[in-house]
Amino acid sequence: QSSSLGHHPHSPPLTHNPKEIWKKGGRMFSVLLAINLLLLACTLVSSAAFNKVAVHDYDVFFMLTIIMLICIAWILFYLIVTAKRRDAILYKDSHAGPVWLRGGLVLFAIFTLVMDVFKTGYYSSFYNCLSAIKIIYPLVQAVFVIVQTYFLWISAKDCIHVHLDVTRCGLMLTLTTNLAVWMSAVTDESVHKAHTKFQNLTEGTHRWIMKGQKPKGGCSCNTQICQIFQSGYFWLYPFNIEYSLFASAMLYVMWKNVGRLIDHHTHHIHQLKFRLFRRTFFVGIVLGLFILVSGLAVLIVYEVQVNSSGQPDKKNEALIMYYTFNIVCLSLMSLVCIGGSIVYRFDKRDMDHHKNPTRTLDMALLLGAALGQYAISYYSIVAVVASTPRDAISALNLTYSLLMIAQHTFQNIFIIEGLHRQPPEDDHKIHPHRKDLYGLTFVNINAVSLRVPESSSALPSPLPHGQGAVAIQTSDVVQSIMVPKKVKWRRKFLKEISLFLLLCNIILWIMPAFGARPQFDNDKELNFYGYSMWPAIVDICLPFGIFYRMHAVASLLEVYIMS
């Protein structure tokens, strides 16, 4: 017995593998490399955002082009090495890179490529008076997006075991590059929105705005095709922003899996099955689609009325309509999340405590990204409460901010608890003899089945095999079949909640991502904090709030599948 215990099949590689000796040191080195590169990118991007700093946008483009070329070279090296060496990838992380996440990445990549085409066409319209790097940058970015998307599609689940330090540094370099591209895109989009909102203000009120929004040196975008290119790539910026963040999340999981040894006895593979229209009551998807379509209509009317110059009444009507829609939507989402959390109290599925880097990252991103919207909401609450006079728009703004905080909190609780539940398939396969009988007591577990037993396997009974025995079997079978219906009802209810929240989060992503900025259109916060502080707060915090919605969509889809 001691000999068998001493030769446990998993203890030697977990404790004596030489590849694990430098694991912490290799991770620390790659993290320090990423931090330094990220700080350099942040310095250049933020410096280029101010008028009186001698850093230009083409300096940022030059740095991003260089590191993207390095990342492309490393990705090709990784693909070649893993293709030639059979011992390069010994394990696959079944939780990493689910198909819906990779599908979303491909979708955002396609729109990013279209954006690069528009940006190349825009800068090519006056290439004679611009730096060549502005034309080269979108072309290199397009190649980088294609190579990286292919790399993540086929390698997101890899647990590589060769060139560990080089792989860690390469993954961190690529992750940092995506974050740098994200910062550049967010800054460019935010400054464009600020120019649109504050174009009638004097120069002294917005010195924080980035220079270079319009081409210098006598260049002008006067042709119709040039204006189409310019407006087109600004409208596509939200997809590029989400692509960079999705890729960063997947690269982080790959970085965590470098050199990882997976115990297949505890690492269960969950097969994804898209059954969006099976075993549902259609209430969640119908109500969610109604919210989605209504939100699109509200967004269109809001943009038209707010941009109507010289009509303050139209602007106030648009703000009232926007706040009212969001108050109704957030209220329904909060109530639904509370209902889902109550249903979880009666859910008999076991908690999943296995090591899962993907789930850990999902939780961190949900909690971290929610801080952006928390900050905006609390700033708005202080401004509304401390300001006078108080009108209907202020009351709606206060209600909207409070509900935004509540909805983020309840939704995070619902999602995180759902991600920690075992899938129903595992509930039946892993513990078939330890399942809770949901209220049935004093029952022979070996005699209970979810199907009518065959004649050859009768229940043990003091009666002979006859009608009496058959009657007892039928009664037991009916009871064992009737009880799981409650379980199915609870899981259907969780699926309806997940679908409804998913569609609501989509519209709440679309509205701020494509132009709805009540933080700027409502003068309450602007007058309270000033034209320098409040735009800075919104431009820093709002991108995290937008990302939260799209990441919540991915997490809710996983909760739907796990239900």
Side-chain angles (χ1 to χ4, degrees):
Q1 184 178 1
S2 60
S3 175
S4 62
L5 292 175
H7 291 82
H8 194 277
H10 300 289
S11 57
L14 291 177
T15 57
H16 302 292
N17 191 351
K19 295 180 181 180
E20 296 292 314
I21 296 176
W22 185 242
K23 179 179 179 179
K24 293 184 178 179
R27 283 187 175 182
M28 182 61 66
F29 180 77
S30 61
V31 168
L32 291 175
L33 175 65
I35 291 175
N36 283 274
L37 182 59
L38 187 62
L39 289 176
L40 175 61
C42 184
T43 302
L44 289 176
V45 171
S46 59
S47 298
F50 291 85
N51 281 316
K52 294 187 177 181
V53 180
V55 177
H56 303 277
D57 52 355
Y58 51 78
D59 297 324
V60 178
F61 291 157
F62 179 79
M63 183 205 68
L64 294 178
T65 301
I66 295 299
I67 59 176
M68 281 193 292
L69 290 173
I70 297 175
C71 292
I72 291 172
W74 176 81
I75 290 174
L76 295 177
F77 167 78
Y78 178 95
L79 294 175
I80 293 173
V81 169
T82 54
K84 288 185 175 181
R85 297 188 57 172
R86 294 185 176 180
D87 61 337
I89 303 171
L90 301 178
Y91 303 95
K92 293 279 189 177
D93 185 0
S94 62
H95 299 288
V99 66
W100 65 85
L101 186 61
R102 288 180 289 160
L105 185 75
V106 171
L107 178 63
F108 291 134
I110 293 173
F111 284 105
T112 300
L113 293 176
V114 176
M115 185 202 72
D116 289 329
V117 172
F118 277 86
K119 187 178 289 188
T120 303
Y122 169 68
Y123 286 125
S124 300
S125 301
F126 28 79
Y127 65 92
N128 291 326
C129 49
L130 284 179
S131 175
I133 193 64
K134 288 193 173 184
I135 302 176
I136 297 175
Y137 170 73
L139 297 176
V140 174
Q141 186 184 28
V143 177
F144 173 72
V145 168
I146 293 173
V147 174
Q148 180 178 247
T149 304
Y150 173 76
F151 163 67
L152 292 175
W153 182 268
I154 67 173
S155 305
K157 299 178 179 293
D158 291 354
C159 298
I160 191 169
H161 285 266
V162 296
H163 305 297
L164 300 184
D165 294 335
V166 175
T167 302
R168 289 189 179 103
C169 292
L171 288 171
M172 270 297 167
L173 176 65
T174 311
L175 188 153
T176 307
T177 302
N178 282 279
L179 292 179
V181 172
W182 170 74
M183 285 190 295
S184 177
V186 166
T187 303
D188 199 10
E189 186 200 27
S190 299
V191 170
H192 173 73
K193 296 293 184 183
H195 273 284
T196 304
K197 298 294 182 182
F198 305 132
Q199 58 185 352
N200 295 326
L201 298 179
T202 60
E203 182 67 23
T205 59
H206 54 96
R207 292 179 181 176
W208 56 275
I209 292 179
M210 183 173 72
K211 54 183 174 289
Q213 283 298 299
K214 294 183 179 179
K216 304 291 183 180
C219 296
S220 59
C221 184
N222 296 325
T223 61
Q224 184 177 4
I225 187 66
C226 177
Q227 294 175 357
I228 292 176
F229 283 142
Q230 183 183 26
S231 60
Y233 87 79
F234 273 117
W235 278 104
L236 292 171
Y237 257 138
F239 299 102
N240 175 231
I241 291 170
E242 295 301 329
Y243 173 82
S244 299
L245 294 175
F246 268 50
S248 299
M250 297 176 70
L251 288 165
Y252 173 80
V253 174
M254 287 188 65
W255 177 78
K256 290 286 290 184
N257 284 331
V258 172
R260 182 183 174 192
L261 301 171
I262 297 178
D263 187 358
H264 290 289
H265 293 280
T266 58
H267 194 75
H268 308 286
I269 298 176
H270 310 312
Q271 297 293 333
L272 173 65
K273 298 179 181 179
F274 282 107
R275 295 178 177 176
L276 294 178
F277 301 104
R278 293 183 60 184
R279 300 178 181 179
T280 59
F281 298 120
F282 296 99
V283 177
I285 192 169
V286 171
L287 185 57
L289 287 174
F290 176 77
I291 296 291
L292 179 62
V293 174
S294 301
L296 292 175
V298 169
L299 176 62
I300 294 173
V301 176
Y302 177 86
E303 286 294 311
V304 172
Q305 293 188 352
V306 165
N307 295 326
S308 299
S309 57
Q311 297 184 9
D313 293 338
K314 293 288 185 180
K315 178 180 177 181
N316 292 335
E317 292 176 1
L319 287 171
I320 292 175
M321 177 186 62
Y322 180 88
Y323 285 133
T324 303
F325 170 79
N326 277 270
I327 288 172
V328 173
C329 181
L330 293 172
S331 300
L332 291 175
M333 294 174 70
S334 300
L335 292 175
V336 165
C337 289
I338 295 174
S341 298
I342 293 175
V343 172
Y344 277 133
R345 303 282 73 80
F346 302 96
D347 198 345
K348 301 298 182 179
R349 287 180 294 165
D350 293 334
M351 302 296 289
D352 186 1
H353 299 291
H354 299 137
K355 182 179 180 181
N356 189 344
T358 304
R359 183 176 59 208
T360 303
L361 178 64
D362 287 339
M363 292 170 52
L365 291 177
L366 283 173
L367 297 175
L371 296 178
Q373 191 59 58
Y374 281 153
I376 294 177
S377 297
Y378 280 117
Y379 275 107
S380 297
I381 291 171
V382 172
V384 172
V385 172
S387 300
T388 53
R390 298 183 178 90
D391 51 6
I393 295 180
S394 298
L396 292 173
N397 189 10
L398 179 61
T399 307
Y400 165 75
S401 300
L402 292 172
L403 284 174
M404 189 67 74
I405 295 172
Q407 193 275 325
H408 277 73
T409 303
F410 295 138
Q411 181 170 270
N412 282 343
I413 294 173
F414 173 76
I415 293 176
I416 292 174
E417 189 165 5
L419 293 176
H420 279 83
R421 294 286 179 173
Q422 288 277 10
E425 292 81 6
D426 285 358
D427 230 10
H428 295 294
K429 294 179 181 179
I430 299 176
H431 308 289
H433 297 291
R434 294 192 295 115
K435 289 190 300 180
D436 194 343
L437 295 178
Y438 304 100
L440 289 180
T441 56
F442 302 104
V443 177
N444 187 355
I445 300 178
N446 295 323
V448 176
S449 175
L450 294 181
R451 62 181 185 273
V452 179
E454 298 176 359
S455 58
S456 59
S457 58
L459 289 171
S461 173
L463 298 177
H465 293 284
Q467 294 182 355
V470 174
I472 294 176
Q473 293 176 19
T474 305
S475 175
D476 290 342
V477 170
V478 168
Q479 289 181 359
S480 64
I481 292 177
M482 289 177 61
V483 173
K485 288 184 178 180
K486 299 180 181 179
V487 181
K488 292 181 179 179
W489 181 87
R490 286 197 293 266
R491 289 172 182 169
K492 286 181 181 181
F493 186 69
L494 292 174
K495 286 179 179 288
E496 299 292 339
I497 292 176
S498 301
L499 284 177
F500 173 74
L501 292 175
L502 187 150
L503 293 172
C504 290
N505 278 277
I506 289 177
I507 188 59
L508 292 179
W509 173 78
I510 291 176
M511 297 182 80
F514 290 93
R517 294 288 194 275
Q519 298 87 359
F520 293 148
D521 298 321
N522 186 3
D523 298 332
K524 184 69 67 175
E525 292 91 342
L526 282 171
N527 295 331
F528 186 81
Y529 293 108
Y531 287 90
S532 295
M533 180 179 175
W534 180 242
I537 294 171
V538 174
D539 290 338
I540 293 173
C541 298
L542 188 59
F544 293 98
I546 295 175
F547 169 70
Y548 172 85
R549 293 300 177 185
M550 186 51 63
H551 186 68
V553 169
S555 299
L556 285 166
L557 184 56
E558 186 169 357
V559 172
Y560 173 85
I561 300 299
M562 300 287 282
S563 298

